[in-house]
Amino acid sequence: MGKHSNKEWLDLKKKISFHDKAFIGGKFCNSVSENTFECINPSNGEMLTNVANCDDTDVERAVNVSRSAFESGKWSDLSPSERKNRLLKLSRLIMDNIDEFALLDSLDMGKPVEDCVSIDVPGAAGILQWTAESIDKVLDEISPTEKRNLAIVKRVPLGVVGAVIPWNFPLDMAIWKCAPALATGNSIILKPAEQSPLSALKLAELSIEAGIPDGVFNVLPGYGHITGKAIGMHNGIDCVAFTGSTEIGKKFLEYSSLSNMKQIWLECGGKSPNLIFNSCKNLKVAAEMAAQGAFFNQGEVCSANSRILVQKEILQEFTKLFVNASNNWLPGDPLNPNSKIGSLVSEEHATKVRDFINNAKNDVELIHEGSQFNNSNVSTFVPPTIFKDINGKNKISKDEVFGPVASIIPFDSQEDAIKIANDTVYGLAASVWSDDLSEAHYVSDKVHAGTISVNAMDALSPMTPFGGFKQSGFGKDLSIHSFDKYTGLKTVWIKY
C-alpha cells in the first residue's frame, strides 16, 4: 500500500477490474436503455471499459429508491452517532483500498498516480473521517421565549440530494459532497463526470460493506447535458450540489427555476491571483510555491493561482526564479512516481488549452514554454507555459484556462495590486506573499475571494470552508458549515 515503482504500478494495473454499471438501490445495474460510453485513459488513448450511460429514466428510478429510503428512516432516523460509525468504516475502507483508488483516478483522468496515493485518496478519507466525527457534535438550539413556552430549533435533513461533480479530483469531489449530505441523514444521487466515473463506482461498492442501507447512496454515470440536467430538473430532488464551470452552474439555477425551486449550491470557476510584494524576502520559496499553485494537477484546479501579480521592483528577479521553478513541473507518464504532472483529461480539453496558448502568443509576451512529453498515441500532454501580460486584461489573464498556463502581471503599489486582483468575474481564492504583517492583513481584507492564503498556497483543511464569491459560486464545501447546505432549520414551538 502506498509508494510503488513504475513497474509495480503497471503490475497493479494488470490486476485491476472496473465497475461499469450504475449503482441504484444498493445494486449494480445496467442503464434502462442499456447504452454505454467509452471510458478512456487520456495519457495513452487506451479504452479502459464501457460504462453505463444513464438518462432521465435512470434518474427517475434513482429518485424513487432514494425517496423511499429516506422516508423509511433506515438512514435518516438513525442517531448521528450510528451514522458516524458507518461513515468512519467507509473512511477506513477507502484507506484499505488506497492503491486501487489511486490507480482508478490516475487512469481515468491522466493525473500522476503519486499525487493520488499521497494526496487525493488520504485527503478524501480524512475529510470523510472529520465530517463523520463532527456530526454528533452539532447541537439543536433552544430559543429564548416567554414563560410557559419552549421553542426548539432543529437542523433536519432535506431529503434527496443530487451531487454533480467534476473530473479533476474525482474521489475527493465525491467525498466533499457526499460526506456532509450522508452525515446529516439525506439520501444521495451522485453523478460523477463522464470522464472519470470509476472511483465513484468503487466507492459505491464499499458503501455496502460500510453498512450504508440500500437506496441511500446511488451513483449514476452519464453525460452532463443529459444525466446532470435530468437531476437538475427532477421535481423529486430537494437539493443539488454542483462543482464545475460557471457556465454549467448557471444552467443549474435555470433548472431549479423551471422545476421545483430546489436549492442549488454552486462551487464554480476561478482565476485566482497570487500577489508577490517586494517586502517578501524569500522570493525563491514564493516562486516555487507559485509554480505549484499554477501547475499542480496539470493546472486543472478551479482555485489555481494562474494570475501572478508581481511588484515591479522585483519583477525581473522573481520571473527568473519562477521560470526555473516551472522546469520542475514537466509532463510525464502518470504511472511514473517521478512525474510531477500528467496528461490533460481529454484530447478535446487539451485542444482548448492549446488554443488559449496559441491565441495568447499573438497578444502578449511568451516568457517560457516547457519541454514537451511525447506519446505518439495522444496529444494530451501540455507543458507549463508562462506569459507576461502588462495590464492583465488579455484573455489569458481573464478567462479560466484550466491547464498549466500562468500569466505574470506587473504592479506598482498595494492599491494597484488590489485593483488588478479584483478585476475579475471570479472570487474563489488568492495568495499574498509579504513579510509585512500590516500589508498582509490590509491586502487580505481588500482582495475579494473566499480563501486568502498568506505566505502559503491554496491553504485547505477539513476544518475551514472552501468556496468563493461572485461567479465562483456561493456553496461552501468542507468544515462544519458544509452541513448548512444539506439541512433545513425546523422550529418546534411547545406551549405548556
Side-chain angles (χ1 to χ4, degrees):
M1 180 175 73
K3 187 80 172 180
H4 296 297
S5 67
N6 182 225
K7 182 181 181 305
E8 288 170 328
W9 282 118
L10 290 170
D11 289 341
L12 285 169
K13 177 188 171 186
K14 295 174 184 176
K15 301 174 185 176
I16 199 168
S17 59
F18 305 115
H19 285 296
D20 56 8
K21 300 181 186 303
F23 185 76
I24 301 174
K27 297 179 177 62
F28 286 101
C29 55
N30 292 323
S31 61
V32 172
S33 67
E34 297 193 352
N35 290 333
T36 62
F37 61 87
E38 293 183 346
C39 191
I40 303 291
N41 179 346
S43 71
N44 59 18
E46 174 190 5
M47 192 183 82
L48 301 171
T49 187
N50 286 299
V51 178
N53 188 4
C54 297
D55 59 23
D56 54 348
T57 56
D58 302 290
V59 172
E60 178 70 24
R61 183 167 49 145
V63 170
N64 288 337
V65 300
S66 297
R67 179 64 60 188
S68 177
F70 179 75
E71 292 181 353
S72 75
K74 59 184 177 182
W75 181 254
S76 55
D77 286 348
L78 288 181
S79 69
S81 294
E82 181 56 34
R83 291 199 299 268
K84 174 185 76 172
N85 290 335
R86 298 190 195 190
L87 292 175
L88 288 176
K89 183 174 181 180
L90 182 58
S91 175
R92 292 192 296 270
L93 288 169
I94 290 173
M95 289 304 294
D96 289 345
N97 292 269
I98 184 171
D99 288 345
E100 185 172 350
F101 274 113
L103 199 52
L104 289 173
D105 277 357
S106 178
L107 295 174
D108 234 356
M109 66 151 295
K111 70 191 301 176
V113 71
E114 184 61 28
D115 285 351
C116 297
V117 81
S118 62
I119 301 172
D120 294 11
V121 182
I127 288 166
L128 179 55
Q129 179 185 10
W130 189 91
T131 305
E133 288 282 11
S134 300
I135 192 59
D136 59 0
K137 284 83 174 172
V138 178
L139 306 180
D140 292 336
E141 303 170 14
I142 302 292
S143 292
T145 59
E146 297 177 1
K147 289 184 178 180
R148 301 180 185 273
N149 289 273
L150 176 64
I152 306 169
V153 181
K154 298 181 177 183
R155 190 168 286 282
V156 298
L158 295 177
V160 178
V161 171
V164 181
I165 61 170
W167 42 257
N168 55 338
F169 294 95
L171 179 62
D172 276 2
M173 292 296 98
I175 293 299
W176 282 28
K177 307 300 187 191
C178 295
L182 290 172
T184 48
N186 297 281
S187 297
I188 193 160
I189 300 170
L190 171 66
K191 194 207 87 67
E194 57 267 29
Q195 297 89 344
S196 56
L198 299 180
S199 60
L201 294 170
K202 177 66 179 179
L203 187 65
E205 174 202 319
L206 298 183
S207 71
I208 303 170
E209 189 176 346
I212 296 177
D214 295 350
V216 171
F217 180 62
N218 306 275
V219 180
L220 299 185
Y223 291 103
H225 66 285
I226 298 174
T227 320
K229 180 179 180 179
I231 289 172
M233 289 290 294
H234 201 290
N235 288 317
I237 294 178
D238 302 290
C239 163
V240 171
F242 170 79
T243 293
S245 72
T246 295
E247 176 188 5
I248 303 302
K250 290 177 180 179
K251 288 186 181 295
F252 274 97
L253 294 174
E254 181 181 354
Y255 300 153
S256 173
S257 71
L258 294 173
S259 56
N260 61 339
M261 292 176 60
K262 62 176 66 63
Q263 294 183 37
I264 303 291
W265 296 104
L266 303 177
E267 194 272 282
C268 296
K271 192 71 177 176
S272 299
N274 182 6
L275 288 66
I276 317 292
F277 289 91
N278 59 15
S279 61
C280 175
K281 301 307 179 187
N282 197 336
L283 286 182
K284 186 173 185 293
V285 170
E288 290 171 349
M289 295 303 292
Q292 176 178 313
F295 305 133
F296 170 70
N297 206 54
Q298 304 75 242
E300 296 168 323
V301 182
C302 56
S303 56
N305 285 225
S306 56
R307 291 191 297 148
I308 303 173
L309 284 57
V310 185
Q311 201 152 16
K312 287 181 179 177
E313 293 89 336
I314 58 172
L315 179 62
Q316 185 174 353
E317 181 184 1
F318 177 85
T319 300
K320 181 180 178 181
L321 291 168
F322 182 56
V323 169
N324 288 339
S326 74
N327 286 323
N328 295 321
W329 294 84
L330 297 179
D333 177 4
L335 297 189
N336 184 337
N338 296 319
S339 295
K340 293 295 289 287
I341 63 177
S343 74
L344 298 188
V345 73
S346 67
E347 295 278 5
E348 179 185 11
H349 184 61
T351 298
K352 176 186 171 186
V353 171
R354 284 198 185 86
D355 286 345
F356 265 110
I357 293 171
N358 292 331
N359 290 333
K361 289 177 180 178
N362 299 321
D363 301 326
V364 293
E365 179 186 352
L366 175 66
I367 293 177
H368 177 74
E369 196 165 15
S371 300
Q372 182 60 270
F373 175 79
N374 293 315
N375 184 323
S376 58
N377 296 322
V378 295
S379 56
T380 51
F381 292 89
V382 177
T385 307
I386 305 169
F387 292 94
K388 181 180 178 182
D389 186 358
I390 295 299
N391 57 26
K393 291 186 178 297
N394 288 280
K395 284 179 66 68
I396 202 70
S397 302
K398 302 289 282 186
D399 294 352
E400 187 178 36
V401 178
F402 225 63
V405 181
S407 55
I408 293 178
I409 306 167
F411 68 85
D412 290 307
S413 62
Q414 285 182 7
E415 295 306 323
D416 188 29
I418 293 165
K419 182 179 179 181
I420 296 170
N422 288 335
D423 185 21
T424 173
V425 300
Y426 302 111
L428 187 53
S431 287
V432 176
W433 291 82
S434 172
D435 289 353
D436 182 331
L437 184 60
S438 296
E439 180 174 62
H441 274 293
Y442 177 75
V443 174
S444 297
D445 284 344
K446 293 295 183 181
V447 173
H448 196 47
T451 298
I452 312 290
S453 304
V454 178
N455 296 333
M457 188 57 59
D458 222 2
L460 191 71
S461 164
M463 294 169 279
T464 56
F466 180 88
F469 305 123
K470 299 194 282 188
Q471 292 188 42
S472 289
F474 41 79
K476 300 295 182 183
D477 289 313
L478 307 179
S479 84
I480 209 79
H481 297 285
S482 66
F483 296 147
D484 296 343
K485 297 192 298 188
Y486 307 110
T487 56
L489 297 178
K490 174 187 279 190
T491 299
V492 178
W493 193 299
I494 302 171
K495 203 171 183 66
Y496 61 94

